Amino acid sequence: MDRLPTLTTTRLRLRHLDPGDVAALYAIFSDLRVMRFWSSGPLADVAAAAALRDDVERLAREDALYQWGIERRDAPGVVGTATLFRIDRTHRRAEIGFALHPEQWGRGYAGEAVGALVAHAFDERGLHRLEADVDPRNEASLRVCERLGFVREGLLRERYHVNGEIQDSVILGLLAPAWQSRRSLVTSHLRLRG
């Protein structure tokens, strides 16, 4: 896919990441608060952010990963990302991931963006199952997933070794029928378009 479709909600726009977004990606993925519960360390420099954006572009063209920039509709500039990855078309499943710059935390943007991503994955991509891999200490991300209908399915102990720390992982899953049964409840405030 050459360019990701734009997904629009009441307050947000999920859009293709362009070369001009490298500085924003660096600001997000070099921040230790964002990367605290991530499965890899923070970006070292702007060149690493440029390489990340190039990888995202290449993987989208290969239909292997779709990472949108999250932008507020009332202010230009990427403030986070929402990602669909590890896409398995045979089994119609994928994983989701999301990150927001700390200045945007606590405003409900993560739930709004991930809700749009989930709707797109099930409604447009025809997936049957979505998964999220969350550090159990990351209560905010767990709440986002669970509010959208994800169910905790298991704990993987000592799964990641990042920055000298061993981290556990909670696996959450959401099935298309469960999403469809609660879709209108979850997305009524999103006014999804696009």
Side-chain angles (χ1 to χ4, degrees):
M1 173 181 306
D2 289 334
R3 195 150 183 91
L4 296 178
T6 299
L7 310 177
T8 307
T9 69
T10 303
R11 301 180 298 163
L12 303 174
R13 182 180 302 108
L14 279 67
R15 64 166 178 79
H16 191 85
L17 288 166
D18 292 315
D21 297 318
V22 168
L25 289 174
Y26 179 68
I28 296 162
F29 291 106
S30 66
D31 192 298
L32 294 176
R33 296 165 293 176
V34 174
M35 303 306 287
R36 173 69 177 87
F37 301 120
W38 212 257
S39 59
S40 60
L43 294 179
D45 51 33
V46 174
L52 169 65
R53 208 230 44 110
D54 290 346
D55 286 344
V56 166
E57 184 86 18
R58 177 182 52 79
L59 292 167
R61 280 195 310 271
E62 296 171 3
D63 284 329
L65 173 144
Y66 310 121
Q67 186 167 26
W68 284 265
I70 301 170
E71 182 175 65
R72 292 174 34 196
R73 292 180 67 190
D74 65 352
V78 170
V79 298
T81 63
T83 310
L84 194 62
F85 65 106
R86 292 194 181 126
I87 302 164
D88 183 332
R89 286 177 182 74
T90 300
H91 300 290
R92 298 176 48 215
R93 62 159 295 281
E95 292 185 36
I96 65 156
F98 55 95
L100 278 177
H101 192 280
E103 291 176 2
Q104 307 303 320
W105 289 357
R107 300 178 187 187
Y109 293 150
E112 195 168 326
V114 177
L117 176 67
V118 168
H120 178 78
F122 287 137
D123 300 342
E124 304 301 323
R125 299 274 168 210
L127 296 178
H128 177 74
R129 176 182 169 83
L130 293 175
E131 297 172 1
D133 173 351
V134 181
D135 187 307
R137 300 168 298 172
N138 190 345
E139 294 175 10
S141 289
L142 288 170
R143 276 193 308 274
V144 166
C145 291
E146 290 173 334
R147 285 181 183 152
L148 291 170
F150 282 82
V151 175
R152 295 183 195 210
E153 297 180 339
L155 174 71
L156 302 178
R157 296 174 301 144
E158 299 184 7
R159 186 170 193 208
Y160 297 110
H161 295 239
V162 181
N163 293 329
E165 181 179 66
I166 298 174
Q167 301 173 347
D168 294 342
S169 178
V170 173
I171 302 300
L172 300 98
L174 176 61
L175 303 179
W179 169 256
Q180 293 304 333
S181 70
R182 57 183 283 134
R183 185 183 198 285
S184 61
L185 173 71
V186 171
T187 62
S188 62
H189 70 287
L190 300 182
R191 294 190 194 121
L192 294 173
R193 295 181 287 254

